């Protein structure tokens, strides 16, 4: 785990952090396929749902498509995780 994210979740978030706002599900799927993953759509959707639940990702539905944006920067996420880790 990296900063309270699984390896797969962190990899997806790295891509989203680098791309910025309003990343489509298709863009995320294309990225994972380019990286050599054979994840099904449902698997990627599960990762995205977990990232939303963890507060690092937000989704917006426009028409019948969803667009994803980071809720926080990578640095902010790492700082928050470090603070919570040291507090425990």
């Amino acid at each position: 785990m990296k900063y309270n994210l699984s390896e797969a979740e962190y990899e997806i978030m790295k891509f989203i952090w680098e791309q910025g706002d309003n990343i489509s599900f298709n863009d995320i799927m294309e990225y994972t396929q380019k990286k050599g993953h054979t994840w099904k759509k449902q698997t990627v959707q599960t990762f995205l749902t977990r990232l939303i639940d963890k507060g690092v990702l937000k989704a917006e539905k426009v028409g019948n498509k969803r667009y994803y944006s980071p809720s926080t920067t990578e640095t902010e996420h790492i700082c928050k995780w470090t603070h919570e880790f040291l507090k425990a």
Side-chain angles (χ1 to χ4, degrees):
M1 291 195 88
K2 287 187 171 189
Y3 313 113
N4 198 34
L5 303 177
S6 71
E7 292 292 326
E9 292 167 347
Y10 187 74
E11 183 176 344
I12 291 170
M13 277 311 300
K14 276 295 255 190
F15 170 71
I16 294 171
W17 279 319
E18 290 168 2
Q19 299 303 306
D21 291 337
N22 299 319
I23 309 301
S24 72
F25 181 79
N26 289 338
D27 291 337
I28 297 167
M29 282 302 298
E30 185 178 307
Y31 168 77
T32 62
Q33 291 168 352
K34 283 182 183 176
K35 294 296 277 183
H37 299 294
T38 57
W39 296 329
K40 295 180 180 179
K41 289 181 179 183
Q42 184 60 43
T43 302
V44 175
Q45 187 61 51
T46 298
F47 291 141
L48 295 173
T49 300
R50 288 180 185 166
L51 290 165
I52 291 168
D53 291 345
K54 291 180 179 183
V56 293
L57 187 66
K58 58 186 175 183
E60 180 181 357
K61 190 168 184 178
V62 178
N64 62 351
K65 293 186 177 186
R66 281 193 190 269
Y67 293 92
Y68 298 89
S69 301
S71 297
T72 182
T73 67
E74 182 178 11
T75 302
E76 290 169 337
H77 174 70
I78 292 169
C79 287
K80 180 182 175 189
W81 176 85
T82 303
H83 179 73
E84 289 175 7
F85 179 78
L86 292 174
K87 200 167 72 170

